[in-house]
Amino acid sequence: MSTLVKKIVVVGGGAAGWLTAGTIAAEHDARGETGVTVKLVESPDVATIGVGEGTWPTMRMTLSRLGISETEFIRQCDASFKQGTRFDGWRTGAVGDRYYHPFVLPQGYATTSLVPSWQALRDQVSFANAVCPQSHLCERGLAPKQSSTPEYAAVVNYGYHLDAGKYSQMLQKHCTDVLGVQHTLDHVTGINAEENGDIASLSSKQHGNIEGDLFIDCTGFASLLLGKHYGIPFVSRKDTLFIDSALAVQVPYASTDSPIESQTISTAQSAGWIWDIGLSSRRGVGYVYSGQHASDSEAEAELRRYIEPSMGKDAESVSFRKIAINPGHRQEFWHRNCVAVGMSAGFLEPLEASALVMVELSAEMISEQLPVTRETMDIVARRFNEKFCYRWDRVIDFLKLHYILSERSDTDFWVDNRDDKSIPGSLRELMTLWERHYPVNADFSQIDEVFSAASYQYVLYGMGFETVPGPATRRSLPDDESDKLFKENTEKTRKMLAGLPSNRELINRIKESGLRAA
Ligand SMILES: Cc1cc2nc3c(=O)[nH]c(=O)nc-3n(C[C@H](O)[C@H](O)[C@H](O)COP(=O)(O)OP(=O)(O)OC[C@H]3O[C@@H](n4cnc5c(N)ncnc54)[C@H](O)[C@@H]3O)c2cc1C
């Protein structure tokens, strides 16, 4: 007899737990007739991680699918608009060393590439500035839309900066009030197995046994179900990505109308890099570093130097929150009737804010492929594992790319990062290809790659990489066609610079009068 999969139990009430519970509840109508129920169990004794403030543009679709108003999201989560990342000091560390990885695609990207034509101009204009308007908008702190642009629509592609604590609270309220997710505040103390090894139920301190058909492990670094109960090995990637520690701090704005940066700023340091994220209410700043290359006190001193221009004397006494990071992921993510999402599945330094997008992608696939019966679950599990093992590898390659292109030799951290032994073979292979042709989507095997070839282009050419095409490579664009595309970009940029409000202005207007519903 087939066993229907109807009771979904999510363990953990951080961003991963609520996003996954909400996505499944919304798509499977957890308050309607389908019979699917979604229960989220969250420990009152274990705090959520409470950091993680940068998202991808995918978050717009995710929030919209959950039925959350963008206006309410921006108001409740102190959110602001993010249009990419600016990397300061990554290439040489010299004054003025900076480049952008924006969210928009280069002009003409769908049918051609401006890379070869830009290479002839590389001493005059940066790649991002030549091929898209977004780096110009970021330079001036402009918003990606107007106050008349409807919710979730964009003039240029954007994601968000948000307050992680407020974000989880907002998701909790929406998921329970609107989407029918049942919320149990209790500490899970044990896991009870069926004879066949599936999880039958969870023991809890106050609610007895909590039964389910599918269990989603969103317990963060604890990885209670997949890691501790099933013992699925953790695959450390510290040999490639050295960052294993973080110091985080909140920095106030000088005044309520201080400008809000339109991008995450990532500034290279002696043993890692500092993130700087502008919310509407404050900045979130943190140093992620390699404990092999700097002591905690050295890292603290560097972070204090970074915030000193903004905080003055207070920078000397402010205390930092220390978070240990174990870079890597589980060997598989879906085992029997248990799947891990979020930090219980793995975590890597937040250089490209890839954690929440992996949560969104996991929640989407679980929800879309939700097995109707237990009999089909192992097939879905195998496919899920294949897809996400591939995705973790691609994220690791992309993060490592930022380091291997650096010319910095001022500390061992930067030198060690270029050591061949630390570079995955898949990335070395791509680098060899890209010496002779610019990145194209056909360089990758999946149609839904986490990072498109455009992202690789922005980082490679932003960091000064040169592609020297051989005689056999495809023809570059005729001059008149590339001129036309460059001009189109210049014109688009001019119009946007003239027509878009500042990030702060738009946020203020949304707080006052809201955005029009889509
Ligand atoms: C320094 C740093 C910076 C980051 N920056 C970014 C960023 O810019 N962008 C991005 O996308 N991501 C970022 N992340 C990652 C992001 O914070 C996480 O992916 C996200 O918050 C999801 O966390 P989580 O829900 O998996 O875990 P958590 O927030 O840790 O939640 C775990 C949950 O499990 C519950 N739990 C644990 N044990 C039990 C138990 N026994 N019984 C019941 N419940 C239990 C806890 O109560 C909690 O509710 C960053 C992370 C770090 C460390």
Side-chain angles (χ1 to χ4, degrees):
M1 203 184 72
S2 60
T3 323
L4 292 176
V5 175
K6 294 221 152 192
K7 281 189 233 155
I8 319 290
V9 178
V10 178
V11 192
W18 286 112
L19 279 171
T20 309
T23 301
I24 297 171
E27 259 170 62
H28 295 270
D29 190 14
R31 44 180 7 161
E33 300 296 306
T34 59
V36 171
T37 59
V38 182
K39 178 176 279 192
L40 185 143
V41 192
E42 172 188 14
S43 172
D45 310 327
V46 184
T48 59
I49 190 86
V51 282
E53 300 182 327
T55 86
W56 280 27
T58 47
M59 191 55 77
R60 279 157 49 211
M61 179 59 83
T62 298
L63 293 174
S64 162
R65 271 208 212 116
L66 296 182
I68 293 172
S69 135
E70 188 177 34
T71 300
E72 284 313 309
F73 160 70
I74 285 169
R75 287 175 180 165
Q76 290 176 29
C77 302
D78 297 345
S80 66
F81 300 106
K82 167 176 175 178
Q83 298 185 60
T85 302
R86 193 181 86 203
F87 293 92
D88 288 6
W90 276 74
R91 185 177 167 188
T92 60
V95 177
D97 167 20
R98 59 160 64 170
Y99 75 96
Y100 282 89
H101 173 198
F103 285 149
V104 290
L105 298 173
Q107 189 73 16
Y109 179 79
T111 50
T112 184
S113 175
L114 278 172
V115 172
S117 313
W118 165 76
Q119 291 215 113
L121 308 169
R122 58 186 308 146
D123 294 336
Q124 296 156 43
V125 58
S126 70
F127 179 66
N129 275 353
V131 302
C132 82
Q134 199 146 37
S135 41
H136 300 274
L137 304 183
C138 289
E139 281 292 304
R140 288 162 184 78
L142 297 184
K145 62 199 276 178
Q146 286 152 332
S147 54
S148 56
T149 317
E151 292 202 328
Y152 298 118
V155 172
V156 279
N157 201 12
Y158 68 87
Y160 304 103
H161 288 145
L162 52 82
D163 181 305
K166 293 183 178 176
Y167 180 59
S168 288
Q169 281 165 18
M170 180 207 68
L171 288 174
Q172 172 186 326
K173 185 158 177 12
H174 183 81
C175 288
T176 49
D177 289 359
V178 179
L179 298 176
V181 176
Q182 302 161 21
H183 186 200
T184 303
L185 209 53
D186 204 344
H187 190 81
V188 172
T189 50
I191 287 140
N192 310 307
E194 305 265 16
E195 263 178 27
N196 67 2
D198 275 9
I199 297 176
S201 64
L202 310 170
S203 310
S204 69
K205 269 189 185 165
Q206 287 158 16
H207 292 76
N209 284 353
I210 299 168
E211 291 176 354
D213 303 316
L214 174 66
F215 291 84
I216 306 185
D217 184 347
C218 297
T219 56
F221 288 140
S223 196
L224 194 67
L225 280 59
L226 193 79
K228 295 222 171 82
H229 173 68
Y230 277 126
I232 300 299
F234 181 81
V235 182
S236 170
R237 302 305 298 260
K238 206 167 157 182
D239 49 349
T240 296
L241 295 169
F242 307 151
I243 302 273
D244 59 5
S245 310
L247 294 171
V249 62
Q250 299 185 354
V251 177
Y253 284 117
S255 73
T256 49
D257 58 1
S258 295
I260 306 173
E261 296 285 356
S262 303
Q263 73 288 323
T264 297
I265 301 168
S266 163
T267 306
Q269 304 293 319
S270 67
W273 54 275
I274 287 178
W275 80 77
D276 192 337
I277 283 180
L279 311 186
S280 63
S281 53
R282 60 167 172 82
R283 282 157 57 205
V285 178
Y287 186 9
V288 276
Y289 57 99
S290 155
Q292 301 271 333
H293 295 89
S295 66
D296 291 349
S297 57
E298 284 165 339
E300 281 200 14
E302 252 180 299
L303 185 54
R304 284 189 205 287
R305 275 200 295 282
Y306 181 89
I307 57 174
E308 202 269 337
S310 318
M311 292 187 79
K313 280 228 157 297
D314 290 345
E316 284 168 27
S317 53
V318 71
S319 55
F320 301 133
R321 184 174 160 216
K322 168 104 202 272
I323 303 162
I325 292 173
N326 193 5
H329 54 81
R330 296 280 150 193
Q331 192 172 295
E332 59 178 16
F333 312 101
W334 196 323
H335 184 76
R336 304 211 62 92
N337 64 339
C338 168
V339 53
V341 178
M343 301 210 296
S344 59
F347 182 63
L348 304 165
E349 60 181 274
L351 185 58
E352 287 284 354
S354 48
L356 286 172
V357 76
M358 289 290 264
V359 169
E360 294 172 87
L361 289 168
S362 303
E364 195 181 296
M365 184 162 176
I366 295 168
S367 182
E368 273 173 4
Q369 310 255 317
L370 194 67
V372 175
T373 67
R374 176 63 185 87
E375 283 65 37
T376 57
M377 195 180 288
D378 293 342
I379 301 171
V380 175
R382 181 174 46 76
R383 292 175 173 216
F384 186 94
N385 288 330
E386 278 168 15
K387 184 137 227 140
F388 280 88
C389 283
Y390 178 83
R391 284 178 167 162
W392 280 94
D393 281 345
R394 293 293 72 70
V395 174
I396 289 162
D397 277 1
F398 190 65
L399 299 189
K400 186 67 175 177
L401 178 75
H402 296 65
Y403 291 101
I404 65 172
L405 292 164
S406 179
E407 296 158 27
R408 291 183 69 139
S409 294
D410 48 324
T411 61
D412 287 348
F413 175 77
W414 294 98
V415 176
D416 292 350
N417 255 302
R418 294 194 295 273
D419 184 336
D420 238 23
K421 288 197 297 295
S422 74
I423 306 173
S426 47
L427 179 58
R428 269 189 267 134
E429 209 171 77
L430 286 168
M431 294 302 291
T432 307
L433 289 180
W434 293 335
E435 282 171 14
R436 290 305 193 149
H437 76 239
Y438 55 81
V440 289
N441 285 331
D443 294 334
F444 307 98
S445 66
Q446 307 263 321
I447 45 163
D448 53 352
E449 287 286 330
V450 184
F451 293 98
S452 69
S455 287
Y456 284 88
Q457 291 178 4
Y458 282 123
V459 174
L460 281 168
Y461 303 118
M463 288 290 284
F465 184 79
E466 205 163 339
T467 298
V468 184
T473 43
R474 74 179 69 78
R475 268 186 325 115
S476 55
L477 273 183
D479 284 351
D480 55 340
E481 280 183 41
S482 57
D483 283 353
K484 187 167 153 269
L485 289 172
F486 283 132
K487 278 193 190 122
E488 277 172 17
N489 183 51
T490 308
E491 184 53 17
K492 214 193 254 180
T493 305
R494 191 188 61 72
K495 283 196 183 135
M496 289 182 186
L497 289 176
L500 288 168
S502 75
N503 217 358
R504 169 71 74 190
E505 267 174 293
L506 181 57
I507 298 291
N508 285 348
R509 268 188 247 161
I510 294 171
K511 286 190 176 166
E512 276 156 35
S513 40
L515 289 166
R516 189 157 50 86

